[in-house]
Amino acid sequence: MKQNSVLKEFWKALHSMKFGIILLLLIGISSIAGTMIPQNNPLPFYERQYSSLIYTLITTLSLHDVYASWWFITMMVVLSANLTLCSIIRLPMLIKQMTQSPELQWELKRKNYLIKKELDQDIDVEKFFKQARFSRIKKLQTKDGMYYWSYKNRFGVLGSWLTHVGLLIIIVSYMFGQIAGFETYVYGVPGMKEKVENTPYEIQIDNFEIQFREDHSVNQYISEITVLDAVTGKQLKSGELSVNHPFRMKDFSIYQNGTGWAVDMVLKREDQVIAERILYQSEIHVDDHQRIALQFVNFYPDYHSSMGRPFTISPYPNNPQLLYTVFYEGVRADMGVVAMGETIEWEEYTFTIGNPRQFTLLQITKDPGILGAKVGGFLLLLGILFAFYFQPRQLKALKREDGQVVLWADTNKDQENYKEQIQQLLQTI
């Protein structure tokens, strides 16, 4: 018996609006954590940035990947179940409210109307209804007299229901997008080709331009790219993309995400070249069986120094210099600033840095749930519109054989305005 009672309470909670609101609050708090804590970085990043206690909490609760954590997905699934059950259970009742005809005897006995007025004089009931802006007037001859009734905005009762359904569709679309879609990044300088992970495509970066305003602030980032078949090398589509203007393919979209600096690096050991590559900002090049490493810490295109602090006075490469760190046999050995064409020497190793240019960072996403999210968003807005601007109202009257009229008026929302409207009309009789 106790087990049945627990199950009943669980079932009752699962389809209650109160439980749904609690879940929404928890999801909102979790989303704040996902905003405040940088997401999807390598674990050493969090170990460096936070205390040992916070780092333990982040790794234990997967706060570095909130939206893919088991507890966040569980809350989303339970909220989806809650919204589904609430919507299914409430729909028959809402349909009944929109379609059922009133019963006169029950109306005569009911006492909790917003307005119930008995008029001694004979009035034109249909004219009164039209003055109250009720156009679809129905009437029925009964043994008590002629019964009139009319409803306005009956579909307004669907407001909260449409809001729930819209939210449900958004959540389901999001989860479907997370399962069936993907997100990845590629970066490079013009002339580079990069394979797009999880797709049969390759992206060729044809050009990259940064447009500046007069005050040197960035106006726009523009990348020109060509999408290729990774197997055959066939060109599939070319074009440009910029911030807020993505490049669209049938299977995915490409967004302009960011930029940074890149340099050509040559590494020699005792005058013999052992590595040549493009080194990108924040990257670290490790070589010779992890004996030597160079980290690209920062870049100053128009280098100046004040009180020992490096900075750049413009975004243009007038005096380009690179801030670096050298690691030797696993230990940081040197840190400094080097101009283009100069060398960095440590023991038997020599690094040469040159040819600075900016690279483009592209975000590639496939989200098959985006259409469902748009539909859900539309239903959500429609539900809010119905709930706030289309309040259901009703007006009823019984005209007895002796000319006496009983008038009823009711609404669940905006009651004071409706009551005042009807009372003003009654004063004109």
Side-chain angles (χ1 to χ4, degrees):
M1 290 294 291
K2 187 176 180 180
Q3 185 178 6
N4 290 337
S5 177
V6 171
L7 290 174
K8 285 181 180 179
E9 288 298 319
F10 174 76
W11 171 253
K12 184 179 178 181
L14 190 60
H15 66 267
S16 71
M17 290 185 65
K18 183 178 179 181
F19 182 60
I21 292 171
I22 292 172
L23 283 172
L24 280 173
L25 288 173
L26 292 174
I27 290 171
I29 294 170
S30 303
S31 298
I32 292 173
T35 302
M36 295 180 64
I37 300 173
Q39 298 292 289
N40 300 309
N41 284 308
L43 290 179
F45 168 83
Y46 302 97
E47 192 172 14
R48 290 193 305 268
Q49 295 293 321
Y50 299 96
S51 66
S52 58
L53 176 61
I54 300 299
Y55 172 73
T56 302
L57 287 172
I58 288 173
T59 53
T60 303
L61 299 176
S62 299
L63 296 178
H64 61 293
D65 193 9
V66 168
Y67 306 109
S69 62
W70 66 267
W71 51 268
F72 188 85
I73 293 174
T74 300
M75 285 196 298
M76 296 288 280
V77 170
V78 175
L79 178 60
S80 299
N82 173 265
L83 292 172
T84 301
L85 291 171
C86 284
S87 300
I88 292 173
I89 292 171
R90 291 184 60 213
L91 184 59
M93 178 183 67
L94 295 175
I95 292 175
K96 185 177 180 181
Q97 287 182 26
M98 290 192 301
T99 58
Q100 71 177 357
S101 298
E103 296 181 7
L104 178 58
Q105 295 305 316
W106 184 82
E107 303 287 353
L108 290 169
K109 295 176 183 178
R110 182 180 166 187
K111 297 181 179 179
N112 61 341
Y113 267 109
L114 180 65
I115 291 179
K116 185 174 182 181
K117 186 77 172 179
E118 295 188 8
L119 306 174
D120 294 329
Q121 71 268 42
D122 189 5
I123 66 169
D124 186 338
V125 175
E126 293 190 37
K127 181 180 178 181
F128 183 86
F129 272 51
K130 290 177 181 178
Q131 288 176 334
R133 299 178 183 175
F134 285 86
S135 55
R136 297 181 180 179
I137 306 166
K138 297 182 179 180
K139 53 185 179 179
L140 177 68
Q141 184 65 50
T142 70
K143 62 183 180 63
D144 296 294
M146 184 63 74
Y147 182 40
Y148 299 82
W149 72 91
S150 183
Y151 294 94
K152 186 163 58 175
N153 300 334
R154 296 187 83 177
F155 57 86
V157 298
L158 291 174
S160 62
W161 186 84
L162 284 173
T163 303
H164 288 153
V165 172
L167 185 58
L168 173 63
I169 293 174
I170 291 172
I171 293 172
V172 172
S173 299
Y174 166 78
M175 291 191 293
F176 176 68
Q178 291 293 304
I179 295 170
F182 69 86
E183 178 181 273
T184 188
Y185 296 84
V186 299
Y187 59 90
V189 296
M192 297 287 293
K193 292 181 182 179
E194 295 290 339
K195 176 78 169 60
V196 181
E197 187 181 358
N198 300 318
T199 75
Y201 304 114
E202 197 173 43
I203 291 179
Q204 175 180 291
I205 301 170
D206 300 318
N207 192 31
F208 178 58
E209 176 189 1
I210 302 178
Q211 297 177 347
F212 294 98
R213 301 183 183 93
E214 291 184 3
D215 62 355
H216 294 164
S217 62
V218 174
N219 181 49
Q220 187 58 279
Y221 301 99
I222 303 173
S223 296
E224 295 179 17
I225 64 171
T226 300
V227 179
L228 310 168
D229 186 302
V231 178
T232 64
K234 179 182 177 182
Q235 292 189 7
L236 302 177
K237 188 177 180 181
S238 297
E240 70 175 35
L241 65 147
S242 57
V243 177
N244 298 324
H245 297 88
F247 183 96
R248 303 288 188 187
M249 292 287 291
K250 181 180 178 181
D251 297 335
F252 56 86
S253 297
I254 306 174
Y255 298 87
Q256 182 68 55
N257 187 271
T259 185
W261 286 90
V263 295
D264 290 340
M265 184 212 74
V266 178
L267 172 60
K268 294 182 180 181
R269 183 183 60 214
E270 297 178 348
D271 295 328
Q272 182 179 357
V273 176
I274 61 173
E276 290 184 80
R277 60 165 291 188
I278 298 173
L279 187 64
Y280 295 92
Q281 195 167 349
S282 299
E283 281 189 340
I284 183 167
H285 176 78
V286 182
D287 215 316
D288 204 13
H289 306 289
Q290 300 185 353
R291 195 171 181 214
I292 188 72
L294 178 70
Q295 183 181 11
F296 185 161
V297 179
N298 208 344
F299 191 82
Y300 306 97
D302 201 351
Y303 176 81
H304 277 70
S305 178
S306 176
M307 300 180 64
R309 291 188 175 185
F311 64 96
T312 184
I313 60 173
S314 80
Y316 307 109
N318 298 322
N319 181 29
Q321 298 200 29
L322 178 144
L323 177 63
Y324 68 88
T325 302
V326 173
F327 296 88
Y328 183 74
E329 294 184 346
V331 178
R332 188 170 72 174
D334 185 28
M335 188 174 187
V337 177
V338 62
M340 299 300 99
E342 294 183 354
T343 59
I344 304 167
E345 298 181 0
W346 192 264
E347 298 295 340
E348 69 269 36
Y349 300 99
T350 302
F351 294 93
T352 304
I353 304 298
N355 190 22
R357 64 270 200 205
Q358 290 188 295
F359 67 86
T360 180
L361 173 63
L362 305 176
Q363 178 185 4
I364 298 100
T365 61
K366 176 185 178 182
D367 189 358
I370 193 166
L371 178 61
K374 289 180 179 179
V375 172
F378 172 76
L379 292 177
L380 183 66
L381 291 174
L382 191 65
I384 294 172
L385 184 69
F386 281 11
F388 285 95
Y389 296 101
F390 294 93
Q391 292 90 6
R393 292 180 174 182
Q394 53 182 295
L395 186 60
K396 301 165 187 175
L398 174 65
K399 190 171 186 178
R400 303 184 192 274
E401 297 295 335
D402 58 4
Q404 185 189 49
V405 175
V406 182
L407 189 73
W408 301 271
D410 203 10
T411 183
N412 291 326
K413 297 179 181 178
D414 198 24
Q415 292 183 333
E416 289 303 316
N417 285 333
Y418 185 45
K419 185 177 182 179
E420 183 179 353
Q421 177 193 354
I422 298 299
Q423 286 176 339
Q424 287 178 354
L425 287 174
L426 289 171
Q427 290 174 2
T428 63
I429 298 175

